[in-house]
Coordinates of all heavy atoms in Angstrom, one line a residue:
M269 N -7.1 -8.3 -11.6 CA -6.4 -7.2 -12.2 C -6.5 -5.9 -11.3 O -6.3 -4.8 -11.8 CB -7.0 -6.9 -13.6 CG -6.5 -8.0 -14.7 SD -4.8 -7.8 -15.2 CE -4.1 -9.1 -14.3
H270 N -6.8 -6.2 -10.1 CA -6.9 -5.1 -9.1 C -5.6 -4.4 -9.0 O -5.6 -3.1 -9.0 CB -7.2 -5.9 -7.8 CG -7.4 -5.0 -6.6 ND1 -8.2 -3.9 -6.6 CD2 -6.9 -5.0 -5.4 CE1 -8.2 -3.3 -5.4 NE2 -7.4 -4.0 -4.7
E271 N -4.5 -5.1 -9.1 CA -3.2 -4.4 -9.0 C -2.9 -3.5 -10.1 O -2.2 -2.5 -9.9 CB -2.1 -5.5 -8.9 CG -2.0 -6.3 -7.6 CD -3.0 -7.4 -7.4 OE1 -3.7 -7.6 -8.4 OE2 -3.1 -7.9 -6.3
V272 N -3.4 -3.8 -11.3 CA -3.1 -3.0 -12.5 C -3.8 -1.6 -12.4 O -3.2 -0.6 -12.6 CB -3.5 -3.7 -13.8 CG1 -3.5 -2.7 -15.0 CG2 -2.6 -4.9 -14.1
S273 N -5.1 -1.6 -11.9 CA -5.8 -0.4 -11.8 C -5.2 0.5 -10.6 O -5.1 1.7 -10.7 CB -7.3 -0.6 -11.6 OG -7.6 -1.5 -10.7
L274 N -4.8 -0.2 -9.6 CA -4.1 0.5 -8.5 C -2.8 1.1 -8.9 O -2.5 2.2 -8.6 CB -3.9 -0.5 -7.3 CG -3.2 0.0 -6.1 CD1 -3.9 1.1 -5.5 CD2 -3.0 -1.1 -5.1
A275 N -2.0 0.3 -9.7 CA -0.7 0.8 -10.2 C -0.9 2.0 -11.1 O -0.2 3.0 -11.0 CB 0.0 -0.3 -10.9
N276 N -1.9 1.9 -12.0 CA -2.2 3.1 -12.9 C -2.6 4.3 -12.1 O -2.1 5.4 -12.4 CB -3.3 2.7 -13.9 CG -2.8 1.7 -14.9 OD1 -1.7 1.7 -15.2 ND2 -3.8 1.0 -15.5
A277 N -3.4 4.2 -11.1 CA -3.8 5.3 -10.2 C -2.6 5.9 -9.5 O -2.4 7.1 -9.4 CB -4.9 4.9 -9.2
L278 N -1.7 5.0 -9.0 CA -0.5 5.4 -8.3 C 0.4 6.2 -9.2 O 1.0 7.3 -8.8 CB 0.3 4.2 -7.7 CG -0.2 3.7 -6.4 CD1 0.4 2.3 -6.1 CD2 0.2 4.7 -5.3
I279 N 0.7 5.7 -10.4 CA 1.6 6.3 -11.3 C 1.0 7.7 -11.8 O 1.8 8.6 -12.0 CB 1.9 5.4 -12.5 CG1 2.8 4.2 -12.0 CG2 2.6 6.1 -13.6 CD1 4.1 4.6 -11.4
E280 N -0.3 7.7 -11.9 CA -0.9 9.0 -12.3 C -0.6 10.1 -11.2 O -0.3 11.2 -11.5 CB -2.4 8.8 -12.5 CG -3.2 10.0 -13.0 CD -2.6 10.6 -14.3 OE1 -2.2 9.8 -15.1 OE2 -2.5 11.8 -14.4
L281 N -0.8 9.6 -9.9 CA -0.5 10.5 -8.8 C 1.0 10.9 -8.8 O 1.3 12.1 -8.5 CB -0.9 9.8 -7.5 CG -0.6 10.4 -6.2 CD1 -1.5 11.7 -6.0 CD2 -0.8 9.5 -5.0
V282 N 1.8 10.0 -9.0 CA 3.3 10.2 -9.0 C 3.6 11.2 -10.1 O 4.4 12.2 -9.9 CB 4.1 8.9 -9.3 CG1 5.5 9.2 -9.7 CG2 4.0 8.0 -8.0
R283 N 3.0 11.1 -11.3 CA 3.2 12.0 -12.4 C 2.8 13.4 -12.0 O 3.6 14.3 -12.3 CB 2.4 11.5 -13.6 CG 2.9 11.8 -15.0 CD 1.9 11.4 -16.0 NE 1.6 10.0 -16.1 CZ 2.3 9.1 -16.9 NH1 3.2 9.5 -17.7 NH2 2.0 7.8 -16.9
E284 N 1.6 13.5 -11.4 CA 1.2 14.8 -11.0 C 2.1 15.5 -10.0 O 2.4 16.7 -10.1 CB -0.2 14.7 -10.3 CG -1.3 14.6 -11.3 CD -2.7 14.2 -10.7 OE1 -2.8 14.3 -9.4 OE2 -3.6 13.7 -11.4
Q285 N 2.6 14.7 -9.0 CA 3.5 15.2 -8.0 C 4.8 15.6 -8.6 O 5.4 16.5 -8.1 CB 3.6 14.2 -6.8 CG 2.3 14.0 -6.1 CD 2.4 13.5 -4.7 OE1 3.5 13.2 -4.2 NE2 1.3 13.4 -4.0
A286 N 5.3 14.8 -9.5 CA 6.6 15.1 -10.2 C 6.5 16.4 -10.9 O 7.4 17.2 -10.9 CB 7.0 13.9 -11.1
V287 N 5.4 16.6 -11.6 CA 5.2 17.9 -12.3 C 5.1 19.0 -11.3 O 5.8 20.1 -11.5 CB 3.9 17.8 -13.2 CG1 3.5 19.2 -13.7 CG2 4.0 16.9 -14.3
A288 N 4.4 18.9 -10.2 CA 4.2 19.9 -9.2 C 5.6 20.2 -8.6 O 5.8 21.4 -8.2 CB 3.2 19.5 -8.1
A289 N 6.4 19.2 -8.5 CA 7.8 19.4 -7.8 C 8.8 19.9 -8.9 O 10.0 20.0 -8.5 CB 8.2 18.2 -7.1
K290 N 8.4 20.0 -10.1 CA 9.3 20.3 -11.2 C 10.4 19.3 -11.3 O 11.6 19.7 -11.5 CB 9.8 21.8 -11.1 CG 8.7 22.8 -11.2 CD 9.3 24.2 -11.3 CE 8.4 25.4 -11.1 NZ 7.0 25.2 -11.3
A291 N 10.2 18.1 -11.0 CA 11.2 17.1 -11.0 C 11.3 16.5 -12.5 O 10.3 16.4 -13.2 CB 10.8 15.9 -10.1
S292 N 12.5 16.2 -12.8 CA 12.6 15.6 -14.2 C 12.5 14.1 -14.1 O 12.1 13.4 -15.1 CB 14.0 15.9 -14.8 OG 15.0 15.5 -14.0
R293 N 12.8 13.5 -13.0 CA 12.7 12.1 -12.9 C 12.4 11.6 -11.4 O 12.8 12.3 -10.5 CB 14.1 11.5 -13.3 CG 14.0 10.2 -14.1 CD 15.3 10.0 -14.8 NE 16.5 9.8 -14.0 CZ 16.8 8.7 -13.3 NH1 16.0 7.7 -13.4 NH2 17.8 8.7 -12.5
V294 N 11.7 10.5 -11.3 CA 11.4 10.0 -10.0 C 12.3 8.7 -9.9 O 12.4 7.9 -10.7 CB 9.9 9.5 -9.9 CG1 9.6 8.8 -8.6 CG2 9.0 10.7 -10.2
T295 N 13.1 8.7 -8.8 CA 14.1 7.6 -8.6 C 13.6 6.5 -7.7 O 14.1 5.4 -7.7 CB 15.4 8.2 -8.1 OG1 15.2 9.0 -6.9 CG2 16.1 9.1 -9.1
R296 N 12.7 6.9 -6.8 CA 12.3 5.9 -5.8 C 10.8 6.1 -5.3 O 10.5 7.3 -5.1 CB 13.2 5.9 -4.6 CG 13.0 4.9 -3.5 CD 14.2 4.8 -2.6 NE 13.9 4.0 -1.5 CZ 13.7 4.5 -0.3 NH1 13.7 5.7 0.0 NH2 13.4 3.6 0.7
L297 N 10.1 5.1 -5.2 CA 8.7 5.1 -4.7 C 8.6 4.2 -3.5 O 9.1 3.1 -3.5 CB 7.7 4.6 -5.7 CG 7.7 5.4 -7.1 CD1 6.7 4.7 -8.0 CD2 7.2 6.8 -6.8
V298 N 8.0 4.7 -2.4 CA 7.7 3.9 -1.3 C 6.2 3.7 -1.2 O 5.5 4.7 -1.0 CB 8.3 4.4 0.0 CG1 8.1 3.5 1.2 CG2 9.8 4.7 -0.1
L299 N 5.7 2.5 -1.3 CA 4.3 2.3 -1.2 C 4.0 1.6 0.1 O 4.7 0.7 0.5 CB 3.9 1.4 -2.4 CG 4.3 1.9 -3.8 CD1 3.8 0.9 -4.8 CD2 3.8 3.3 -4.1
E300 N 2.8 1.9 0.7 CA 2.4 1.2 1.9 C 1.1 0.4 1.5 O 0.1 1.0 1.1 CB 2.1 2.2 3.0 CG 2.0 1.6 4.3 CD 2.0 2.7 5.4 OE1 1.2 3.5 5.4 OE2 3.0 2.7 6.2
I301 N 1.3 -0.9 1.6 CA 0.2 -1.8 1.2 C -0.1 -2.7 2.3 O 0.7 -3.6 2.6 CB 0.6 -2.6 -0.1 CG1 1.0 -1.7 -1.2 CG2 -0.5 -3.5 -0.5 CD1 0.0 -0.8 -1.8
G302 N -1.1 -2.4 3.1 CA -1.5 -3.3 4.2 C -1.7 -4.7 3.9 O -2.2 -5.0 2.8
T303 N -1.4 -5.6 4.8 CA -1.7 -7.0 4.5 C -3.1 -7.4 4.4 O -3.5 -8.4 3.9 CB -1.0 -7.9 5.6 OG1 -1.5 -7.4 6.9 CG2 0.5 -7.8 5.6
L304 N -4.0 -6.5 4.8 CA -5.5 -6.7 4.7 C -6.1 -6.2 3.4 O -7.3 -6.2 3.2 CB -6.2 -6.1 5.9 CG -5.8 -6.6 7.3 CD1 -6.7 -5.9 8.4 CD2 -5.8 -8.1 7.4
S305 N -5.2 -5.6 2.6 CA -5.8 -4.8 1.4 C -6.0 -5.7 0.2 O -6.5 -5.3 -0.8 CB -4.8 -3.7 1.0 OG -3.6 -4.3 0.6
H306 N -5.7 -7.0 0.3 CA -5.9 -8.0 -0.8 C -5.1 -7.6 -2.0 O -5.6 -7.9 -3.1 CB -7.4 -8.1 -1.1 CG -8.2 -8.6 0.0 ND1 -8.1 -9.9 0.5 CD2 -9.1 -8.0 0.8 CE1 -8.9 -10.0 1.5 NE2 -9.6 -8.9 1.7
V307 N -4.0 -6.9 -1.8 CA -3.2 -6.6 -3.0 C -1.9 -7.5 -2.9 O -1.3 -7.6 -1.8 CB -2.7 -5.1 -2.9 CG1 -1.7 -4.8 -4.0 CG2 -4.0 -4.2 -3.1
D308 N -1.6 -8.1 -4.0 CA -0.4 -8.9 -4.1 C 0.8 -8.0 -4.4 O 0.9 -7.4 -5.4 CB -0.6 -10.0 -5.2 CG 0.6 -10.9 -5.3 OD1 1.7 -10.4 -5.5 OD2 0.4 -12.1 -5.2
A309 N 1.8 -8.0 -3.4 CA 2.9 -7.0 -3.6 C 3.7 -7.3 -4.8 O 4.2 -6.4 -5.5 CB 3.8 -7.1 -2.3
H310 N 3.9 -8.6 -5.1 CA 4.7 -8.9 -6.3 C 4.0 -8.5 -7.6 O 4.6 -7.9 -8.5 CB 5.0 -10.4 -6.4 CG 5.9 -10.9 -5.2 ND1 7.2 -10.6 -5.2 CD2 5.6 -11.5 -4.1 CE1 7.7 -11.1 -4.1 NE2 6.7 -11.7 -3.4
A311 N 2.7 -8.8 -7.7 CA 1.9 -8.3 -8.8 C 1.9 -6.8 -8.9 O 2.0 -6.3 -10.0 CB 0.5 -8.9 -8.7
L312 N 1.8 -6.2 -7.8 CA 1.7 -4.7 -7.8 C 3.1 -4.1 -8.3 O 3.1 -3.2 -9.1 CB 1.4 -4.2 -6.4 CG 1.4 -2.6 -6.3 CD1 0.3 -2.1 -7.2 CD2 1.2 -2.2 -4.9
R313 N 4.2 -4.7 -7.8 CA 5.5 -4.2 -8.2 C 5.6 -4.3 -9.7 O 6.1 -3.3 -10.4 CB 6.6 -5.0 -7.5 CG 8.0 -4.5 -7.7 CD 9.0 -5.5 -7.1 NE 8.8 -5.6 -5.7 CZ 9.4 -4.8 -4.8 NH1 10.1 -3.8 -5.2 NH2 9.2 -4.9 -3.5
F314 N 5.2 -5.4 -10.3 CA 5.3 -5.6 -11.7 C 4.4 -4.6 -12.4 O 4.8 -3.9 -13.4 CB 4.9 -7.0 -12.1 CG 4.9 -7.3 -13.5 CD1 6.1 -7.5 -14.2 CD2 3.7 -7.4 -14.2 CE1 6.1 -7.7 -15.6 CE2 3.7 -7.6 -15.6 CZ 4.9 -7.8 -16.3
A315 N 3.2 -4.4 -11.9 CA 2.2 -3.5 -12.6 C 2.7 -2.1 -12.5 O 2.5 -1.3 -13.4 CB 0.8 -3.7 -11.9
V316 N 3.4 -1.7 -11.4 CA 3.9 -0.3 -11.3 C 5.0 -0.1 -12.3 O 5.1 0.9 -13.0 CB 4.4 -0.1 -9.8 CG1 5.3 1.2 -9.8 CG2 3.2 0.1 -8.9
D317 N 5.9 -1.1 -12.5 CA 7.0 -1.0 -13.5 C 6.4 -0.8 -14.9 O 6.9 0.1 -15.6 CB 7.7 -2.4 -13.5 CG 9.0 -2.3 -12.7 OD1 9.2 -1.4 -12.0 OD2 9.8 -3.3 -12.9
V318 N 5.4 -1.5 -15.2 CA 4.7 -1.4 -16.5 C 4.1 -0.1 -16.7 O 4.2 0.6 -17.7 CB 3.7 -2.6 -16.7 CG1 2.9 -2.3 -18.0 CG2 4.4 -3.9 -16.8
A319 N 3.3 0.3 -15.6 CA 2.6 1.6 -15.7 C 3.5 2.8 -15.8 O 3.1 3.8 -16.4 CB 1.6 1.7 -14.5
A320 N 4.7 2.7 -15.2 CA 5.6 3.8 -15.2 C 6.4 4.0 -16.5 O 7.0 5.1 -16.7 CB 6.7 3.6 -14.1
R321 N 6.3 3.1 -17.4 CA 7.0 3.2 -18.7 C 6.6 4.4 -19.4 O 5.5 4.7 -19.6 CB 6.8 1.9 -19.5 CG 7.7 0.8 -19.1 CD 7.5 -0.4 -19.9 NE 8.0 -1.6 -19.2 CZ 7.6 -2.8 -19.4 NH1 6.8 -3.1 -20.3 NH2 8.1 -3.8 -18.6
G322 N 7.7 5.1 -19.9 CA 7.4 6.3 -20.7 C 7.1 7.5 -19.9 O 6.9 8.6 -20.5
G323 N 7.1 7.4 -18.6 CA 6.9 8.6 -17.7 C 8.0 8.9 -16.8 O 9.1 8.2 -16.9
P324 N 7.9 9.9 -16.0 CA 9.0 10.3 -15.1 C 9.5 9.2 -14.1 O 10.6 9.2 -13.6 CB 8.5 11.5 -14.4 CG 7.0 11.4 -14.5 CD 6.7 10.7 -15.8
A325 N 8.6 8.3 -13.8 CA 8.9 7.2 -12.8 C 9.5 5.9 -13.5 O 9.7 5.0 -12.8 CB 7.7 6.9 -12.0
E326 N 9.7 6.0 -14.8 CA 10.3 4.8 -15.4 C 11.6 4.4 -14.8 O 12.5 5.2 -14.6 CB 10.5 5.1 -16.9 CG 11.0 3.8 -17.7 CD 10.9 3.9 -19.2 OE1 10.4 5.0 -19.7 OE2 11.3 2.9 -19.8
G327 N 11.7 3.1 -14.4 CA 12.9 2.6 -13.8 C 13.1 3.0 -12.4 O 14.2 2.6 -11.8
A328 N 12.2 3.6 -11.7 CA 12.3 4.0 -10.3 C 12.3 2.7 -9.5 O 11.7 1.7 -9.8 CB 11.1 4.9 -9.9
A329 N 13.1 2.8 -8.4 CA 13.1 1.7 -7.4 C 11.7 1.7 -6.7 O 11.2 2.8 -6.4 CB 14.2 1.9 -6.4
V330 N 11.2 0.6 -6.4 CA 9.9 0.5 -5.8 C 10.0 -0.3 -4.5 O 10.4 -1.5 -4.5 CB 8.8 -0.2 -6.7 CG1 7.5 -0.3 -6.0 CG2 8.6 0.6 -8.0
D331 N 9.8 0.4 -3.4 CA 9.8 -0.3 -2.1 C 8.4 -0.4 -1.6 O 7.6 0.5 -1.6 CB 10.6 0.5 -1.0 CG 12.1 0.5 -1.3 OD1 12.5 -0.3 -2.1 OD2 12.8 1.4 -0.8
I332 N 8.0 -1.6 -1.2 CA 6.7 -1.9 -0.7 C 6.7 -2.3 0.8 O 7.3 -3.3 1.1 CB 6.0 -2.9 -1.6 CG1 5.9 -2.5 -3.0 CG2 4.6 -3.2 -1.0 CD1 5.2 -3.4 -4.0
L333 N 6.1 -1.4 1.6 CA 5.9 -1.8 3.0 C 4.6 -2.4 3.2 O 3.6 -2.0 2.6 CB 6.0 -0.5 3.8 CG 7.2 0.5 3.6 CD1 7.0 1.7 4.4 CD2 8.5 -0.2 3.9
E334 N 4.6 -3.5 4.0 CA 3.3 -4.2 4.3 C 3.0 -4.2 5.8 O 3.2 -5.2 6.4 CB 3.5 -5.6 3.7 CG 3.7 -5.6 2.2 CD 3.9 -7.0 1.7 OE1 2.9 -7.7 1.4 OE2 5.0 -7.5 1.6
P335 N 2.4 -3.1 6.3 CA 2.0 -3.1 7.7 C 1.0 -4.2 8.0 O 0.1 -4.5 7.2 CB 1.4 -1.7 7.9 CG 1.2 -1.2 6.5 CD 2.0 -1.9 5.6
E336 N 1.2 -4.9 9.1 CA 0.3 -6.0 9.4 C -1.1 -5.5 9.9 O -1.2 -4.3 10.3 CB 0.9 -6.9 10.5 CG 0.9 -6.3 11.9 CD 1.4 -7.2 13.0 OE1 1.7 -8.4 12.7 OE2 1.4 -6.8 14.1
G337 N -2.1 -6.4 9.8 CA -3.4 -6.0 10.2 C -3.6 -5.8 11.7 O -3.0 -6.7 12.4
T338 N -4.2 -4.8 12.1 CA -4.5 -4.6 13.5 C -6.0 -4.3 13.7 O -6.6 -3.7 12.8 CB -3.7 -3.5 14.2 OG1 -3.9 -2.3 13.4 CG2 -2.2 -3.8 14.2
A339 N -6.5 -4.8 14.8 CA -8.0 -4.6 15.1 C -8.2 -4.4 16.5 O -7.3 -4.8 17.4 CB -8.8 -5.8 14.5
Y340 N -9.3 -3.9 16.9 CA -9.7 -3.7 18.3 C -10.9 -4.7 18.5 O -11.9 -4.7 17.8 CB -10.1 -2.3 18.5 CG -10.5 -2.0 19.9 CD1 -9.5 -1.9 20.9 CD2 -11.8 -1.9 20.3 CE1 -9.9 -1.7 22.2 CE2 -12.2 -1.6 21.6 CZ -11.2 -1.5 22.6 OH -11.5 -1.3 23.9
C341 N -10.7 -5.5 19.5 CA -11.8 -6.5 19.9 C -12.7 -5.8 20.9 O -12.4 -5.4 21.9 CB -11.1 -7.7 20.5 SG -12.4 -8.9 21.0
L342 N -14.0 -5.8 20.5 CA -15.1 -5.2 21.3 C -15.4 -6.1 22.5 O -15.9 -5.7 23.5 CB -16.3 -5.0 20.5 CG -16.2 -3.9 19.4 CD1 -17.5 -3.8 18.7 CD2 -15.8 -2.6 20.0
D343 N -15.1 -7.4 22.4 CA -15.4 -8.4 23.4 C -14.4 -8.3 24.6 O -14.8 -8.2 25.7 CB -15.5 -9.8 22.9 CG -16.8 -10.0 22.1 OD1 -17.8 -9.3 22.4 OD2 -16.8 -10.8 21.2
C344 N -13.1 -8.3 24.3 CA -12.2 -8.3 25.4 C -11.5 -7.0 25.5 O -10.5 -6.8 26.3 CB -11.2 -9.5 25.3 SG -10.1 -9.4 23.8
E345 N -11.9 -6.0 24.6 CA -11.3 -4.6 24.7 C -9.8 -4.6 24.6 O -9.2 -3.9 25.4 CB -11.9 -3.9 25.9 CG -13.4 -3.9 25.9 CD -14.0 -3.2 27.1 OE1 -13.3 -2.9 28.1 OE2 -15.2 -2.9 27.1
T346 N -9.3 -5.3 23.6 CA -7.9 -5.3 23.4 C -7.5 -5.1 21.9 O -8.3 -5.4 21.1 CB -7.3 -6.8 23.7 OG1 -7.8 -7.1 25.0 CG2 -5.8 -6.8 23.8
S347 N -6.4 -4.4 21.7 CA -5.9 -4.3 20.3 C -5.1 -5.5 19.9 O -4.3 -5.9 20.7 CB -5.0 -3.1 20.1 OG -5.9 -1.9 20.1
V348 N -5.5 -6.1 18.8 CA -4.8 -7.4 18.5 C -4.3 -7.4 17.0 O -4.8 -6.5 16.2 CB -5.8 -8.6 18.6 CG1 -6.2 -8.8 20.1 CG2 -7.1 -8.4 17.8
A349 N -3.4 -8.2 16.7 CA -2.9 -8.4 15.3 C -3.7 -9.4 14.6 O -4.0 -10.5 15.2 CB -1.4 -8.8 15.3
I350 N -4.2 -9.2 13.4 CA -4.9 -10.2 12.7 C -4.3 -10.4 11.3 O -3.7 -9.5 10.7 CB -6.4 -9.8 12.5 CG1 -6.6 -8.4 11.9 CG2 -7.1 -9.9 13.9 CD1 -8.0 -8.1 11.5
A351 N -4.4 -11.6 10.8 CA -3.8 -12.0 9.5 C -4.7 -11.7 8.4 O -4.3 -11.6 7.2 CB -3.4 -13.4 9.5
A352 N -6.0 -11.7 8.6 CA -7.0 -11.5 7.5 C -8.2 -10.8 8.1 O -8.5 -10.9 9.3 CB -7.3 -12.9 6.9
R353 N -9.0 -10.2 7.1 CA -10.3 -9.7 7.5 C -11.2 -10.8 7.9 O -11.2 -11.9 7.2 CB -10.9 -9.0 6.2 CG -11.1 -7.6 6.4 CD -11.5 -7.0 5.0 NE -10.7 -5.9 4.7 CZ -10.9 -4.7 5.3 NH1 -11.8 -4.5 6.2 NH2 -10.1 -3.7 5.0
G354 N -12.0 -10.6 8.9 CA -12.9 -11.7 9.3 C -12.3 -12.7 10.2 O -13.0 -13.7 10.6
A355 N -11.0 -12.5 10.6 CA -10.4 -13.4 11.5 C -11.0 -13.2 12.9 O -11.6 -12.1 13.2 CB -8.9 -13.0 11.6
L356 N -10.9 -14.2 13.7 CA -11.4 -14.1 15.1 C -10.3 -13.6 16.0 O -9.2 -13.7 15.7 CB -11.9 -15.5 15.6 CG -13.0 -16.1 14.8 CD1 -13.3 -17.5 15.3 CD2 -14.3 -15.3 14.8
C357 N -10.8 -13.0 17.2 CA -9.8 -12.4 18.1 C -8.9 -13.6 18.7 O -9.4 -14.6 19.1 CB -10.6 -11.8 19.3 SG -9.5 -11.3 20.6
P358 N -7.6 -13.4 18.6 CA -6.7 -14.4 19.1 C -6.7 -14.5 20.6 O -6.2 -15.6 21.1 CB -5.3 -13.9 18.6 CG -5.5 -12.5 18.3 CD -6.9 -12.2 18.0
H359 N -7.3 -13.6 21.3 CA -7.3 -13.6 22.7 C -8.6 -14.4 23.2 O -8.5 -15.3 24.0 CB -7.3 -12.2 23.4 CG -6.0 -11.6 23.4 ND1 -5.0 -12.0 24.2 CD2 -5.5 -10.6 22.6 CE1 -3.9 -11.2 24.0 NE2 -4.2 -10.4 23.0
C360 N -9.7 -14.0 22.7 CA -11.0 -14.5 23.3 C -11.8 -15.3 22.2 O -12.8 -15.8 22.6 CB -11.8 -13.4 23.9 SG -12.5 -12.3 22.7
G361 N -11.4 -15.3 21.0 CA -12.1 -16.0 20.0 C -13.4 -15.2 19.5 O -14.1 -15.7 18.7
G362 N -13.5 -14.0 20.0 CA -14.6 -13.2 19.6 C -14.6 -12.7 18.1 O -13.5 -12.7 17.5
A363 N -15.7 -12.4 17.5 CA -15.8 -12.0 16.1 C -16.1 -10.5 16.0 O -16.1 -10.0 14.8 CB -16.9 -12.8 15.4
K364 N -16.2 -9.8 17.0 CA -16.5 -8.4 16.9 C -15.2 -7.5 16.9 O -14.8 -6.9 17.9 CB -17.4 -7.9 18.1 CG -18.8 -8.5 18.0 CD -19.7 -7.9 19.1 CE -20.8 -8.9 19.6 NZ -20.7 -9.1 21.0
L365 N -14.6 -7.6 15.8 CA -13.3 -6.9 15.6 C -13.5 -5.7 14.7 O -14.1 -5.8 13.6 CB -12.3 -7.8 15.0 CG -11.8 -9.0 15.9 CD1 -10.9 -9.9 15.1 CD2 -11.3 -8.6 17.2
L366 N -12.9 -4.5 15.1 CA -12.9 -3.4 14.3 C -11.5 -3.2 13.7 O -10.5 -3.1 14.5 CB -13.2 -2.1 15.1 CG -14.6 -2.1 15.8 CD1 -14.7 -0.8 16.6 CD2 -15.7 -2.1 14.8
V367 N -11.4 -3.3 12.4 CA -10.1 -3.1 11.8 C -9.6 -1.7 12.0 O -10.2 -0.7 11.8 CB -10.1 -3.4 10.3 CG1 -8.8 -3.1 9.6 CG2 -10.5 -4.9 10.1
Q368 N -8.3 -1.6 12.5 CA -7.7 -0.3 12.8 C -6.6 0.0 11.8 O -6.3 1.2 11.6 CB -7.2 -0.3 14.2 CG -8.3 -0.3 15.2 CD -7.7 -0.2 16.6 OE1 -6.8 -0.9 17.0 NE2 -8.2 0.7 17.4
G369 N -5.9 -1.0 11.3 CA -4.8 -0.7 10.4 C -4.5 -1.9 9.6 O -5.0 -3.0 9.9
G370 N -3.7 -1.7 8.6 CA -3.3 -2.8 7.7 C -4.1 -3.0 6.5 O -3.9 -3.9 5.7
D371 N -5.0 -2.0 6.3 CA -5.8 -2.0 5.0 C -5.5 -0.8 4.1 O -6.2 -0.5 3.2 CB -7.3 -2.1 5.3 CG -7.8 -1.0 6.2 OD1 -7.0 -0.2 6.7 OD2 -9.0 -0.8 6.3
E372 N -4.4 -0.1 4.4 CA -4.1 1.0 3.6 C -3.4 0.7 2.3 O -2.8 -0.4 2.2 CB -3.2 2.0 4.4 CG -1.9 1.4 5.1 CD -2.3 0.8 6.5 OE1 -2.4 1.5 7.5 OE2 -2.5 -0.5 6.5
M373 N -3.6 1.5 1.3 CA -3.0 1.4 0.0 C -2.6 2.8 -0.4 O -3.4 3.6 -0.8 CB -3.9 0.9 -1.1 CG -4.4 -0.6 -0.8 SD -5.3 -1.1 -2.2 CE -6.9 -0.3 -1.9
R374 N -1.3 3.2 -0.2 CA -1.0 4.6 -0.5 C 0.5 4.8 -0.8 O 1.3 3.9 -0.6 CB -1.3 5.5 0.7 CG -0.6 5.2 2.0 CD -1.2 5.9 3.2 NE -0.4 5.7 4.3 CZ 0.5 6.6 4.8 NH1 0.6 7.8 4.1 NH2 1.2 6.4 5.8
L375 N 0.7 5.9 -1.5 CA 2.1 6.3 -1.8 C 2.6 7.0 -0.6 O 2.1 8.0 -0.1 CB 2.0 7.3 -3.0 CG 3.3 7.9 -3.4 CD1 4.3 6.9 -3.9 CD2 3.0 9.0 -4.5
K376 N 3.6 6.4 0.0 CA 4.1 7.0 1.3 C 5.2 8.0 1.1 O 5.2 9.1 1.7 CB 4.7 5.8 2.2 CG 5.0 6.2 3.6 CD 5.3 4.9 4.4 CE 5.3 5.1 5.9 NZ 6.3 5.9 6.4
E377 N 6.1 7.7 0.1 CA 7.2 8.7 -0.2 C 7.6 8.6 -1.6 O 7.4 7.5 -2.2 CB 8.4 8.3 0.6 CG 8.5 8.7 2.1 CD 9.7 8.1 2.7 OE1 10.8 8.2 2.2 OE2 9.6 7.5 3.8
M378 N 8.2 9.6 -2.1 CA 8.8 9.5 -3.4 C 10.0 10.4 -3.5 O 10.1 11.4 -2.8 CB 7.8 9.8 -4.6 CG 7.2 11.2 -4.6 SD 6.0 11.4 -5.9 CE 7.0 12.0 -7.2
E379 N 11.1 9.9 -4.2 CA 12.3 10.7 -4.3 C 12.4 11.1 -5.7 O 12.2 10.3 -6.7 CB 13.5 9.8 -3.9 CG 13.6 9.6 -2.4 CD 14.7 8.6 -2.0 OE1 15.6 8.3 -2.8 OE2 14.7 8.2 -0.8
V380 N 12.8 12.3 -5.9 CA 12.9 12.9 -7.3 C 14.2 13.6 -7.5 O 14.9 13.9 -6.5 CB 11.8 13.9 -7.6 CG1 10.4 13.3 -7.4 CG2 11.9 15.1 -6.6
V381 N 14.6 13.7 -8.7 CA 15.8 14.5 -9.0 C 15.4 15.6 -10.0 O 14.4 15.5 -10.7 CB 16.9 13.6 -9.7 CG1 17.5 12.7 -8.6 CG2 16.4 12.9 -10.8
Ligands
ZN167 ZN1 -11.1 -10.5 22.1

């Protein structure tokens, strides 16, 4: 139920921003959910729809961007793409990887009227 609490937090943020922007309605949300964040995009989309009911973002289009995981390998000193946390370096097989991206969970953009 990770997605439900994330969706509730996102919609709360959207509500605050809509009020601050004096917007009557939110028409589109763009979310950035990294592939390493352990969030299921389909489940999140559904949870956002449910969380938005009765508020300014009800019925808003939801676009979800899923940036791939990137890490820096300390062994071969290369930036590499990784599919999961704890993955080994695809170049040298090393395990000393520092995650650099792909674990974000954020509201990237919103469109209001
Ligand atoms: Zn390496």
